[in-house]
Amino acid sequence: MTPLWQVDVDLFREIHVGLRRAWLDPVMVVASDTGLGYLQFAGLAVAWLRGRQAAWAPWLLAGMAVLAAFLVERDPLASLAAVLVVALLGSLPPSWAARTILAAATAGLLRLAVEPLVDRQRPSVYFFAHPLEEVYGKSSFPSGHVTTTVSILVAVALLAYYERDGGGRPARGHLLVLALWAALVGLSRVYVGVHYPLDVVGGALFGATVATLAVFLSNRAARPE
C-alpha cells in the first residue's frame, strides 16, 4: 500500500469510525442526500421557473421533488434533504439557473466517464466500515455528490462575479451558505462510509474545473459580437 493510499484509508477510518455518533448519523445522511443530482436539478429548475411560468409551477415541482426523494430513496430523511435543496437553490436568480444546470449536468456526466477509468473500490468493504448507504462496487472516484455540489457553488460564484454590477448582489449572500453546504456534503460522503477523502477532493477539483469552463464558454456564447 502506497503512503498516499495509507493516509487516505487512515483519514477515512478517523472520520467514518472516529466521528460516528448516534445523534450525528441522521444529520449526515440528510447532508449526503442533498448531494443527489436529481434533487439539485429540481432545486435549480424551481429557480428557473420563478417568474417564467404560472405561480404554482415552482411549488408543484418542489412538491414532486420531495415526493420523488421519498419514493426513490425510501427514507423520509431524503424528503427533508429535498426541502433543503429546493430552499437553497430555488431562491437563486432565475437568470442564473440555466447556466448553473448546464455546469452541474456537464460535470456529472463527465464524472460518469471518468469513474470507470479510475475503477476504485468503495471503502464500504472494509471490515471496520459500517456504511449508512448500501453502496459498493468500483465507483468511488471521484465523488459524484461532491462533483455536482461544487460545480453549483463555483458556477454561482462566477455568475455573481460576472454580474456584480447587475443582479448578482442579492445572491452573494448565498455563497457562504453554498460553500458550507459543499463542505458538509464532502464530509458526509466519508462519514456515511461510501467515499475516501481523496474521492471528495477529486470530485471538488473536477466539479470546479468543469463549472469554470462551462460558465466561461456560456458567457462567451451569450456575449454580443
Side-chain angles (χ1 to χ4, degrees), residues 1 5 8-9 12 111 114-129 131 133-143 189 193-200:
M1 184 177 291
W5 181 282
D8 210 17
V9 173
F12 168 76
R111 178 256 173 193
V114 171
E115 175 189 292
L117 298 177
V118 180
D119 201 34
R120 191 182 197 195
Q121 182 71 49
R122 296 265 185 175
S124 316
V125 297
Y126 281 110
F127 72 91
F128 58 80
E133 278 186 33
E134 293 297 320
V135 180
Y136 297 89
K138 295 184 177 181
S139 58
S140 194
F141 186 94
S143 166
R189 297 306 285 162
V194 294
H195 279 294
Y196 295 97
L198 279 181
D199 299 338
V200 170

Side-chain angles (χ1 to χ4, degrees), residues 79-200:
S79 293
L80 176 57
V83 171
L84 294 175
V85 171
V86 169
L88 181 61
L89 301 182
S91 55
L92 290 172
S95 61
W96 296 9
R99 283 180 285 177
T100 306
I101 290 172
L102 173 65
T106 302
L109 290 173
L110 289 177
R111 178 256 173 193
L112 292 176
V114 171
E115 175 189 292
L117 298 177
V118 180
D119 201 34
R120 191 182 197 195
Q121 182 71 49
R122 296 265 185 175
S124 316
V125 297
Y126 281 110
F127 72 91
F128 58 80
H130 300 284
L132 301 178
E133 278 186 33
E134 293 297 320
V135 180
Y136 297 89
K138 295 184 177 181
S139 58
S140 194
F141 186 94
S143 166
H145 287 56
V146 175
T147 295
T148 55
T149 304
V150 171
S151 69
I152 291 171
L153 165 64
V154 172
V156 171
L158 290 173
L159 290 168
Y161 173 77
Y162 284 129
E163 301 184 14
R164 59 191 181 278
D165 297 325
R169 187 175 299 275
R172 288 182 187 174
H174 277 85
L175 291 178
L176 178 58
V177 177
L178 287 173
L180 292 173
W181 171 48
L184 187 57
V185 170
L187 177 64
S188 70
R189 297 306 285 162
V190 182
Y191 182 95
V192 302
V194 294
H195 279 294
Y196 295 97
L198 279 181
D199 299 338
V200 170

Side-chain angles (χ1 to χ4, degrees), residues 58-76:
W59 292 100
L60 176 61
L61 179 57
M64 291 173 62
V66 173
L67 178 61
F70 178 76
L71 295 177
V72 173
E73 310 301 327
R74 299 184 181 277
D75 186 350

